[in-house]
Short mmCIF file of all heavy atoms in Angstrom, two decimals:
data_model
loop_
_atom_site.label_atom_id
_atom_site.label_comp_id
_atom_site.label_asym_id
_atom_site.label_seq_id
_atom_site.Cartn_x
_atom_site.Cartn_y
_atom_site.Cartn_z
N LEU A 328 86.02 99.67 108.07
CA LEU A 328 84.89 99.82 107.16
C LEU A 328 84.36 98.40 107.02
O LEU A 328 83.10 98.33 107.00
CB LEU A 328 85.30 100.43 105.79
CG LEU A 328 85.54 101.96 105.77
CD1 LEU A 328 86.15 102.35 104.46
CD2 LEU A 328 84.37 102.70 106.13
N ILE A 329 85.20 97.44 106.82
CA ILE A 329 84.79 96.04 106.64
C ILE A 329 84.03 95.58 107.93
O ILE A 329 83.01 94.88 107.80
CB ILE A 329 85.89 95.04 106.19
CG1 ILE A 329 86.46 95.45 104.79
CG2 ILE A 329 85.45 93.69 106.29
CD1 ILE A 329 87.61 94.79 104.50
N THR A 330 84.51 95.92 108.94
CA THR A 330 83.91 95.62 110.28
C THR A 330 82.44 96.09 110.33
O THR A 330 81.57 95.46 110.69
CB THR A 330 84.71 96.17 111.53
OG1 THR A 330 86.05 95.62 111.46
CG2 THR A 330 84.05 95.84 112.84
N ALA A 331 82.34 97.38 109.88
CA ALA A 331 81.08 98.06 109.99
C ALA A 331 80.02 97.24 109.03
O ALA A 331 78.88 96.96 109.34
CB ALA A 331 81.07 99.43 109.55
N ILE A 332 80.41 96.90 107.86
CA ILE A 332 79.64 96.18 106.85
C ILE A 332 79.20 94.79 107.44
O ILE A 332 78.12 94.37 107.39
CB ILE A 332 80.33 96.06 105.49
CG1 ILE A 332 80.47 97.43 104.90
CG2 ILE A 332 79.52 95.12 104.63
CD1 ILE A 332 81.34 97.40 103.61
N MET A 333 80.31 94.01 107.99
CA MET A 333 80.08 92.75 108.57
C MET A 333 79.08 92.82 109.73
O MET A 333 78.27 91.96 109.88
CB MET A 333 81.32 92.06 108.82
CG MET A 333 82.34 91.79 107.70
SD MET A 333 81.40 90.91 106.39
CE MET A 333 80.95 89.42 107.32
N TYR A 334 79.15 93.88 110.60
CA TYR A 334 78.33 94.00 111.74
C TYR A 334 76.83 94.11 111.20
O TYR A 334 75.86 93.48 111.67
CB TYR A 334 78.68 95.21 112.52
CG TYR A 334 77.73 95.58 113.64
CD1 TYR A 334 77.77 94.92 114.77
CD2 TYR A 334 76.85 96.58 113.55
CE1 TYR A 334 76.70 95.11 115.73
CE2 TYR A 334 75.88 96.92 114.39
CZ TYR A 334 75.83 96.13 115.64
OH TYR A 334 74.96 96.44 116.55
N ILE A 335 76.71 95.02 110.15
CA ILE A 335 75.33 95.14 109.65
C ILE A 335 74.72 93.77 109.10
O ILE A 335 73.56 93.39 109.21
CB ILE A 335 75.30 96.30 108.61
CG1 ILE A 335 75.30 97.61 109.30
CG2 ILE A 335 73.98 96.16 107.70
CD1 ILE A 335 74.09 97.87 110.17
N PHE A 336 75.55 93.11 108.32
CA PHE A 336 75.14 91.83 107.74
C PHE A 336 74.78 90.86 108.87
O PHE A 336 73.65 90.11 108.62
CB PHE A 336 76.33 91.22 106.92
CG PHE A 336 76.56 91.86 105.60
CD1 PHE A 336 77.57 91.45 104.74
CD2 PHE A 336 75.66 92.84 105.18
CE1 PHE A 336 77.71 92.06 103.50
CE2 PHE A 336 75.89 93.49 103.85
CZ PHE A 336 76.98 93.02 103.10
N MET A 337 75.52 90.74 109.91
CA MET A 337 75.19 89.89 111.00
C MET A 337 73.84 90.22 111.70
O MET A 337 73.02 89.43 111.93
CB MET A 337 76.23 89.86 112.11
CG MET A 337 77.62 89.13 111.64
SD MET A 337 78.77 88.87 112.89
CE MET A 337 79.24 90.53 113.25
N GLN A 338 73.68 91.58 111.81
CA GLN A 338 72.39 91.98 112.51
C GLN A 338 71.23 91.83 111.58
O GLN A 338 70.15 91.61 111.90
CB GLN A 338 72.47 93.49 112.83
CG GLN A 338 73.60 93.83 113.89
CD GLN A 338 73.28 93.02 115.18
OE1 GLN A 338 72.18 92.82 115.61
NE2 GLN A 338 74.44 92.51 115.67
N MET A 339 71.50 91.94 110.29
CA MET A 339 70.43 91.73 109.33
C MET A 339 69.88 90.30 109.37
O MET A 339 68.70 90.01 109.36
CB MET A 339 71.00 92.07 107.88
CG MET A 339 70.00 92.21 106.62
SD MET A 339 70.84 92.29 105.10
CE MET A 339 71.91 93.69 105.45
N LYS A 340 70.84 89.38 109.44
CA LYS A 340 70.51 88.00 109.49
C LYS A 340 69.80 87.58 110.85
O LYS A 340 68.81 86.88 110.83
CB LYS A 340 71.78 87.15 109.38
CG LYS A 340 71.44 85.60 109.42
CD LYS A 340 72.75 84.82 109.23
CE LYS A 340 72.55 83.42 109.21
NZ LYS A 340 73.72 82.64 108.98
N LYS A 341 70.29 88.18 111.92
CA LYS A 341 69.75 87.95 113.22
C LYS A 341 68.29 88.46 113.33
O LYS A 341 67.44 87.77 113.85
CB LYS A 341 70.61 88.63 114.25
CG LYS A 341 70.22 88.42 115.72
CD LYS A 341 71.08 89.04 116.68
CE LYS A 341 70.75 88.92 118.10
NZ LYS A 341 71.62 89.69 119.08
N LEU A 342 68.03 89.70 112.87
CA LEU A 342 66.73 90.35 112.98
C LEU A 342 65.69 89.72 112.04
O LEU A 342 64.51 89.55 112.55
CB LEU A 342 66.89 91.91 112.85
CG LEU A 342 67.66 92.59 113.95
CD1 LEU A 342 67.68 94.10 113.59
CD2 LEU A 342 66.94 92.44 115.28
N THR A 343 66.11 89.35 110.92
CA THR A 343 65.10 88.99 109.81
C THR A 343 64.88 87.50 109.82
O THR A 343 63.88 87.02 109.45
CB THR A 343 65.55 89.44 108.47
OG1 THR A 343 66.75 88.82 108.09
CG2 THR A 343 65.69 90.90 108.41
N GLY A 344 65.97 86.78 110.42
CA GLY A 344 65.81 85.33 110.30
C GLY A 344 66.16 84.71 109.00
O GLY A 344 65.92 83.59 108.65
N GLU A 345 66.56 85.61 108.02
CA GLU A 345 66.86 85.29 106.67
C GLU A 345 68.28 85.25 106.46
O GLU A 345 69.06 85.86 107.13
CB GLU A 345 66.10 86.18 105.69
CG GLU A 345 64.68 86.32 105.83
CD GLU A 345 63.92 85.35 105.09
OE1 GLU A 345 64.52 84.33 104.41
OE2 GLU A 345 62.63 85.25 105.31
N GLU A 346 68.72 84.45 105.49
CA GLU A 346 70.16 84.51 104.98
C GLU A 346 70.47 85.81 104.41
O GLU A 346 69.59 86.50 103.89
CB GLU A 346 70.50 83.40 103.97
CG GLU A 346 70.44 81.97 104.51
CD GLU A 346 71.52 81.68 105.62
OE1 GLU A 346 72.50 82.30 105.48
OE2 GLU A 346 71.14 81.13 106.63
N ILE A 347 71.72 86.31 104.52
CA ILE A 347 72.22 87.58 104.04
C ILE A 347 72.00 87.76 102.58
O ILE A 347 71.60 88.86 102.02
CB ILE A 347 73.68 87.82 104.36
CG1 ILE A 347 73.81 87.94 105.89
CG2 ILE A 347 74.10 89.18 103.86
CD1 ILE A 347 75.36 87.86 106.40
N ASP A 348 72.12 86.72 101.81
CA ASP A 348 72.01 86.64 100.33
C ASP A 348 70.67 87.19 99.96
O ASP A 348 70.43 87.67 98.85
CB ASP A 348 72.28 85.30 99.72
CG ASP A 348 73.82 84.96 99.83
OD1 ASP A 348 74.59 85.85 100.08
OD2 ASP A 348 74.29 83.76 99.53
N THR A 349 69.64 86.94 100.77
CA THR A 349 68.36 87.29 100.45
C THR A 349 68.19 88.70 100.18
O THR A 349 67.37 89.15 99.37
CB THR A 349 67.39 86.93 101.63
OG1 THR A 349 67.56 85.57 101.90
CG2 THR A 349 65.79 87.03 101.18
#
Side-chain angles (χ1 to χ4, degrees):
L328 285 173
I329 291 169
T330 300
I332 294 172
M333 295 309 298
Y334 173 77
I335 283 298
F336 282 177
M337 288 188 292
Q338 296 304 316
M339 195 186 301
K340 181 178 180 180
K341 181 180 177 181
L342 292 176
T343 63
E345 303 276 355
E346 290 298 323
I347 296 170
D348 288 351
T349 308

